[in-house]
Amino acid sequence: MHGLTPILSTVTASFLASFVEVVEAFTIVLAVGVTRSWRPALTGAALALALLAALVLVFGPLLALVPITVLQFVVGVLLILFGMRWLRKAILRSVGVIALHDEEQAFSKETAELRQQAADRRADYLAAVASFKAVLLEGVEVVFIVIAVGAAHGQTLYAGFGALAAFVLVMLIGLAVHRPLARVPENSLKFVVGLMLTSFGVFWTGEGLGAEWPGADLALLAIFAVIAAASFAIVRWLRGAYPAPAEGVAR
């Protein structure tokens, strides 16, 4: 059980976080492909994936040169900051302070912009750039999450499998329905991912500082439970302070 806990939590965190990011990138690539053509859409996406792969190949091996305690502390602090950013937005969306992310509306906005550029001689280039930027920006977050949740305990391969599974699943669903994946409960997923990344961050930071967690890796579950309880308490409190839902789309 002790050995399975970090592996399962690493794969789950990587899969859920990557799933959300890939869904958002897929929406833009789909908009480019449907509105302009699939050539610039796939070209831009492929170039972004190639650049991401190059970044991993260049910077990934450098992590092995960093002392494990330093790596755990740095990664832990970054995960806390990153996870709290996700968690803050998910909490505010849950209570209606900021609006839920709407893939249908994001798709409509992107297609409207692409149609406005249709008369431009650079239309294909601009469409490819839109696809490239979407995949690169979301992909950078995926790469960071995969490295962060896996590197501190040498589980980058497991984290990579989680991200790959998310990518394949989104592609299969997206190609089957040929429309934005608007029914994906993104805010709920982001809430869970925020909790998991923050929990990993607290755990790795503690280990980097030399703390010995009771129950070893099982302490991850306890940390997650405490952060989740505090987050739900904040949601309940904020719902009383902000009863009216927000309108529009925010990310």
Side-chain angles (χ1 to χ4, degrees):
M1 180 63 182
H2 282 227
L4 285 177
T5 299
I7 294 176
L8 291 176
S9 57
T10 295
V11 173
T12 303
S14 178
F15 174 83
L16 293 178
S18 300
F19 189 88
V20 172
E21 301 293 355
V22 175
V23 165
E24 295 183 357
F26 175 79
T27 298
I28 305 301
V29 175
L30 178 65
V32 174
V34 170
T35 306
R36 188 63 192 171
S37 73
W38 285 105
R39 182 176 179 180
L42 297 179
T43 299
L47 288 174
L49 290 174
L51 179 56
L52 290 170
L55 290 174
V56 172
L57 291 175
V58 170
F59 293 105
L62 296 179
L63 294 176
L65 303 178
V66 182
I68 186 63
T69 54
V70 175
L71 182 62
Q72 287 174 333
F73 178 78
V74 172
V75 167
V77 171
L78 290 175
L79 275 177
I80 290 174
L81 296 175
F82 199 69
M84 289 298 293
R85 181 172 70 90
W86 278 48
L87 194 54
R88 172 184 170 274
K89 287 187 176 181
I91 289 173
L92 293 177
R93 287 192 179 106
S94 296
V95 300
V97 174
I98 59 177
L100 295 173
H101 184 75
D102 187 335
E103 291 300 332
E104 290 282 6
Q105 192 165 347
F107 179 81
S108 298
K109 179 181 178 182
E110 187 65 30
T111 54
E113 292 179 357
L114 289 168
R115 288 192 179 103
Q116 289 177 352
Q117 299 168 354
D120 194 315
R121 290 183 302 174
R122 303 174 303 158
D124 283 346
Y125 168 76
L126 295 174
V129 168
S131 179
F132 175 84
K133 286 171 59 178
V135 174
L136 183 64
L137 292 176
E138 306 299 343
V140 166
E141 292 202 25
V142 171
V143 169
F144 169 76
I145 291 170
V146 167
I147 292 176
V149 301
H153 266 193
Q155 294 172 349
T156 305
L157 182 61
Y158 292 113
F161 284 148
L164 180 61
F167 175 80
V168 172
L169 182 59
V170 171
M171 291 301 105
L172 290 177
I173 296 174
L175 292 175
V177 302
H178 206 64
R179 59 183 298 177
L181 305 184
R183 294 188 178 183
V184 173
E186 281 193 50
N187 195 62
S188 298
L189 290 178
K190 287 181 178 179
F191 203 118
V192 174
V193 172
L195 292 172
M196 296 190 75
L197 296 183
T198 306
S199 301
F200 270 107
V202 172
F203 186 82
W204 298 145
T205 301
E207 288 212 336
L209 292 173
E212 294 186 6
W213 294 105
D217 292 326
L218 289 175
L220 263 172
L221 302 179
I223 295 170
F224 179 89
V226 170
I227 296 174
S231 299
F232 286 125
I234 293 172
V235 169
R236 186 174 180 180
W237 173 69
L238 286 177
R239 278 179 178 164
Y242 299 94
E247 296 182 357
V249 176
R251 186 172 184 273

